[in-house]
Amino acid sequence: MTVLLVVLGAAVGAPARYVVDKAVTARVAAGFPWGTLVVNLTGCLLLGLVSGATLPAGAVALLGTGFCGAYTTYSTFGYEAVSLAERARRRAALTYVLASVVGGVALAATGYALTS
Amino acid sequence: MSHVDDPDVGLVPEHGPVIAVIAAGGALGSLARLGVSTVLPHHGGFPLSTFVENVLGCFLLGALLVVLTELRRPHPLVRPFLGTGVLGGFTTFSTYAVDSVTRDSAGVAVLYVVLTLVLALAGSWAGVVTVRRIGGAR
């Protein structure tokens, strides 16, 4: 049952990441990975909210492990950071990494504190 | 009326198959993530499974994207399926952030955040460089 809920959440979370990324990148100047940043930061806040609350195991599997797990991504984040650095855009790479990690942890803590 | 600023233009209908393969890939990637976290227990409060998934996923995406963008001309659905779907679903940023918040020890939390970041970025870079060397790209 847990497996099914995780798969179901992920089957929605991964395309949601694609749609949000496209919606964000269409609205901002190219050259900085705003799409992934918005996806990862909102996903951190959402998982913080889910993790702080006392939810049934099934809801955690669906929303947390499934949806938030697949909605957010480390692999695209890593690739984009390395790509920026590779194109000699070290400052943008550093900004991207710090905004993702510091912002992600801060939003996760905020979400967690709000519901726990 | 300008469509330039409307991000939804182009999402349908040609984005239908892309969204479908991302959903399927994301489901597969999450299954693999669930598998790794079942096999790898946490060591002394260190979230080992998420750490391994994120570092490995970064290496694999770096390698995959060099193959798909520099070495081969794949079917247009290959990258959304394997990259955005499978590896996007396999790795996770939200669990990384929340796991760092919920550690009992601040030392373990900092070690986890920094170690994942350094090795994941090194992994992305290593994936790119390794495949370029093997494939003779650039």
Side-chain angles (χ1 to χ4, degrees):
Chain A
M1 190 61 188
T2 303
V3 176
L4 267 180
L5 290 168
V6 169
V7 166
L8 194 65
V12 177
R17 164 161 42 84
Y18 173 78
V19 171
V20 170
D21 177 75
K22 284 270 175 263
V24 171
T25 48
R27 286 183 164 84
V28 295
F32 190 82
W34 288 108
T36 311
L37 184 63
V38 168
V39 161
N40 279 340
L41 292 183
T42 51
C44 286
L45 177 66
L46 185 62
L47 188 63
L49 290 167
V50 169
S51 305
T54 336
L55 295 176
V60 175
L62 181 75
L63 293 173
T65 316
F67 182 86
C68 290
Y71 174 66
T72 60
T73 173
Y74 217 102
S75 48
T76 304
F77 159 72
Y79 182 80
E80 286 166 340
V82 167
S83 295
L84 284 172
E86 210 177 29
R87 283 178 280 145
R89 299 198 48 216
R90 299 241 165 100
R91 191 179 290 258
L94 190 65
T95 306
Y96 180 50
V97 167
L98 286 178
S100 299
V101 174
V102 176
V105 171
L107 283 168
T110 306
Y112 192 85
L114 281 174
T115 51
S116 62
Chain B
M1 187 177 137
S2 167
H3 288 261
V4 174
D5 294 322
D6 188 348
D8 296 329
V9 166
L11 269 185
V12 279
E14 63 263 41
H15 283 232
V18 175
I19 286 174
V21 297
I22 291 173
L28 283 175
S30 293
L31 264 183
R33 175 158 45 83
L34 198 61
V36 173
S37 42
T38 310
V39 171
L40 282 183
H42 288 186
H43 279 273
F46 189 90
L48 189 62
S49 53
T50 313
F51 169 76
V52 168
E53 287 149 13
N54 283 338
V55 172
L56 178 65
C58 279
F59 176 83
L60 292 176
L61 186 69
L64 176 77
L65 291 182
V66 173
V67 172
L68 298 185
T69 59
E70 298 175 22
L71 299 174
R72 298 266 186 277
R73 286 182 165 274
H75 188 279
L77 290 180
V78 172
R79 180 172 174 173
F81 175 67
L82 291 178
T84 316
V86 175
L87 291 174
F90 182 62
T91 61
T92 173
F93 203 90
S94 50
T95 309
Y96 162 74
V98 169
D99 274 351
S100 76
V101 171
T102 53
R103 290 310 91 198
D104 290 331
S105 146
V108 171
V110 171
L111 176 75
Y112 174 62
V113 166
V114 174
L115 201 61
T116 299
L117 179 64
V118 171
L119 288 188
L121 293 181
S124 299
W125 177 80
V128 168
V129 170
T130 305
V131 174
R132 263 185 205 151
R133 251 179 224 159
I134 295 170
R138 297 213 189 153

